[in-house]
Amino acid sequence: MDYGALVSEAMEYTRAALMGNPVTWLVLILCSLPFALIRFVCDPKTIITGTHVHWELIPWPQIILLCLAGLILGILISGYIVRIYRGITPPPVFDAWGSLFLDGLKLVIVEILWFIPAMVVFIAAVALLIAGTFSGTVPGNPMIGAAAILLVIGIILLVITILYSLLGAVRFARTGSIREGIRFSAITGSIQAIGWGTYIIALIIIGVLVILATLVISLFGLIPLVGWVIVLALNPLVQVFNARCISRVYDHSVPPAPAPAE
């Protein structure tokens, strides 16, 4: 796998998807707007005084409304990501909103299904940790030891989940089947076709680039008044770039189509 070519192609794809189509960029920004507006209806300086929280001052109706709007619009963003995962070129646009929403909802379901085992283990670990702490005999308490073991198991499961869920999301997008998106054996075959080492290195490179880009973008948030707008406008660049990179990594597990006979 040519990692440099992978990153360069994803950057060019992102430029074409957003700079080449400002309407798509604007829609992605607007879909992310509700969660960004929560900061303006809930001022921590007013609600929190020292260690006391004034729960009665929290504007729950506005927050709930913004969260619901954010979740619905977030599903539309997920639907757009599904189209990127399908390898559509030129980059997709926002149309056929019904199928876009349905694809996004299915992608969310696929991701939730992948993370359920790790979440169950972490919840069990926390429950044992709390029970052991309140039992009054913390040193040598078997529940504390069991919680520690479960935490380690949970971390291992989380790493495995991340490795599989990324390709599982693309597999779902390519097949249109939630079942195929969580088929462990098929995704194992895809990773083996790419090469475990090659796949992990690719994810590390993509992860580092995404984290660095996110940190740089977050610095703009420190600019008074307009910083949050800049962050909101730049976040789609990271979303599209990351999705395209994962899509191209998956392509390395698919045998190239035979050349047509002359």
Side-chain angles (χ1 to χ4, degrees):
M1 183 183 297
D2 188 337
Y3 303 111
L6 174 73
V7 172
S8 298
E9 193 275 342
M11 292 176 66
E12 176 57 28
Y13 186 93
T14 303
R15 185 201 64 77
L18 302 180
M19 298 179 185
N21 194 339
V23 174
T24 297
W25 198 345
L26 179 60
V27 173
L28 286 171
I29 293 172
L30 293 176
C31 286
S32 302
L33 187 59
F35 284 123
L37 292 178
I38 291 178
R39 56 184 293 174
F40 295 105
V41 301
C42 185
D43 185 3
K45 295 180 181 178
T46 304
I47 296 172
I48 301 176
T49 305
T51 58
H52 180 69
V53 179
H54 300 279
W55 297 103
E56 70 281 0
L57 297 179
I58 299 177
W60 292 111
Q62 294 93 322
I63 291 177
I64 292 173
L65 183 62
L66 287 173
C67 286
L68 287 175
L71 288 173
I72 293 172
L73 295 177
I75 291 176
L76 289 176
I77 294 177
S78 295
Y80 183 78
I81 297 300
V82 169
R83 292 184 178 179
I84 296 176
Y85 283 159
R86 285 180 181 147
I88 295 175
T89 53
V93 296
F94 278 88
D95 59 9
W97 293 79
S99 63
L100 193 74
F101 184 86
L102 186 59
D103 284 341
L105 185 60
K106 289 180 179 179
L107 178 60
V108 171
I109 293 173
V110 168
E111 292 173 342
I112 290 175
L113 290 175
W114 272 113
F115 280 90
I116 283 177
M119 287 190 295
V120 170
V121 172
F122 278 121
I123 291 172
V126 172
L128 284 174
L129 186 61
I130 293 174
T133 301
F134 283 95
S135 67
T137 55
V138 175
N141 191 313
M143 285 190 288
I144 301 295
I149 293 173
L150 283 178
L151 283 174
V152 173
I153 295 174
I155 292 172
I156 295 173
L157 269 177
L158 185 60
V159 172
I160 295 173
T161 297
I162 292 172
L163 291 175
Y164 276 76
S165 65
L166 289 172
L167 291 190
V170 183
R171 183 175 176 82
F172 151 71
R174 301 288 176 92
T175 63
S177 168
I178 292 177
R179 179 179 296 180
E180 289 298 323
I182 59 174
R183 188 191 255 181
F184 191 87
S185 59
I187 297 171
T188 299
S190 295
I191 297 176
Q192 290 174 340
I194 298 170
W196 281 95
T198 301
Y199 178 53
I200 292 173
I201 292 173
L203 291 189
I204 291 173
I205 292 173
I206 296 167
V208 169
L209 291 175
V210 168
I211 291 172
L212 288 176
T214 302
L215 289 175
V216 171
I217 291 173
S218 65
L219 292 178
F220 287 104
L222 301 176
I223 300 175
L225 300 179
V226 298
W228 72 277
V229 178
I230 298 174
V231 172
L232 194 65
L234 295 180
N235 278 336
L237 295 170
V238 178
Q239 292 174 315
V240 174
F241 172 80
N242 181 65
R244 180 59 177 176
C245 281
I246 300 301
S247 175
R248 294 295 292 125
V249 169
Y250 180 88
D251 287 338
H252 284 78
S253 70
V254 180
E262 297 183 359

